[in-house]
Amino acid sequence: MIESVDLRRLQVLRLVHRHGTVTAAADVLHLTPSAVSHQLRQLARETGVALLEPDGRRVRLTPAGRALVAHADALHAGWERAR
């Protein structure tokens, strides 16, 4: 059971999905790739599931990661409407 998830970490996952690499997401977020990787590991711990798998020099979301991104996209869209 998930107690809570940090919404900033969901945004990190969304950007990794969108840009395809941890490095590209780090550039967009103005963070180091190491910091992005740390956020993703924390998110995986919070959710209790693997979210990413290697795909050559890139990463690919697992089915659980894709499901979480879909929910994160809906949360983000709702927040944008509310703002």
Side-chain angles (χ1 to χ4, degrees), residues 23-82:
T23 301
D27 287 344
V28 171
L29 292 164
H30 306 289
L31 297 171
T32 64
S34 177
V36 167
S37 292
H38 177 75
Q39 293 297 314
L40 295 170
R41 283 191 303 276
Q42 287 295 110
L43 183 59
R45 276 198 271 291
E46 289 172 357
T47 59
V49 296
L51 300 171
L52 299 170
E53 56 193 11
D55 185 22
R57 294 180 55 93
R58 302 171 73 81
V59 291
R60 175 178 51 222
L61 271 65
T62 63
R66 286 191 301 276
L68 189 56
V69 165
H71 289 293
D73 287 344
L75 286 170
H76 181 75
W79 176 249
E80 288 301 312
R81 284 190 305 275

Side-chain angles (χ1 to χ4, degrees), residues 6-32:
D6 187 316
L7 296 178
R8 293 169 296 182
R9 290 187 183 120
L10 286 177
Q11 178 65 4
V12 171
L13 182 64
R14 289 178 73 235
L15 290 173
V16 169
H17 176 61
R18 180 178 305 147
H19 295 283
T21 67
V22 168
T23 301
D27 287 344
V28 171
L29 292 164
H30 306 289
L31 297 171
T32 64

